[in-house]
């Protein structure tokens, strides 16, 4: 399972992390810990990341797409990021 964690503070700005969690670890009352695949924070391009998609490309590589939306606000941006997913 992939989990997109987002955070915002006026002092640190917008940040996001992408975690991979083993499905077998999802049990009642479990504390989940995942492998961090990406950490998005300034100076990298990051905004209010709102969407996460995974697909397999034409050569069999798993691809991750993360998208933000500007919400019609001049303070936000629409950003599309695409990464090759590390194989487990």
């Amino acid at each position: 399972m992939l989990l997109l964690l987002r955070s915002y503070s006026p002092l640190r700005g917008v940040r996001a992390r992408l975690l991979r969690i083993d499905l077998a670890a999802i049990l009642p009352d479990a504390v989940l810990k995942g492998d961090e695949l990406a950490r998005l924070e300034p100076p990298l391009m990051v905004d209010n990341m709102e969407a996460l998609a995974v697909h397999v490309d034409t050569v069999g590589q798993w691809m991750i797409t993360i998208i933000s939306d500007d919400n019609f606000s001049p303070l936000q941006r629409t950003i599309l990021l695409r990464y090759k997913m590390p194989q487990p």
Side-chain angles (χ1 to χ4, degrees):
M1 176 177 74
L2 294 181
L3 182 62
L4 181 62
L5 302 173
R6 310 175 310 154
S7 68
Y8 170 78
S9 79
L11 295 178
R12 298 184 76 192
V14 180
R15 299 171 181 276
R17 292 188 311 145
L18 182 65
L19 302 180
R20 179 173 43 202
I21 298 173
D22 182 359
L23 290 177
I26 302 174
L27 301 168
D29 300 318
V31 175
L32 299 178
K33 296 180 182 177
D35 297 322
E36 186 175 273
L37 299 180
R39 181 179 295 258
L40 305 172
E41 55 190 27
L44 298 175
M45 291 187 69
V46 62
D47 208 300
N48 184 21
M49 310 317 279
E50 297 178 352
L52 171 66
V54 179
H55 76 277
V56 179
D57 70 10
T58 57
V59 296
Q61 176 67 53
W62 286 61
M63 302 297 293
I64 300 169
T65 304
I66 302 172
I67 304 170
S68 70
D69 177 13
D70 69 6
N71 294 306
F72 303 103
S73 168
L75 302 177
Q76 294 180 333
R77 298 175 292 172
T78 297
I79 301 172
L80 184 139
L81 303 172
R82 182 163 288 160
Y83 300 98
K84 289 181 181 179
M85 185 166 135
Q87 300 304 309

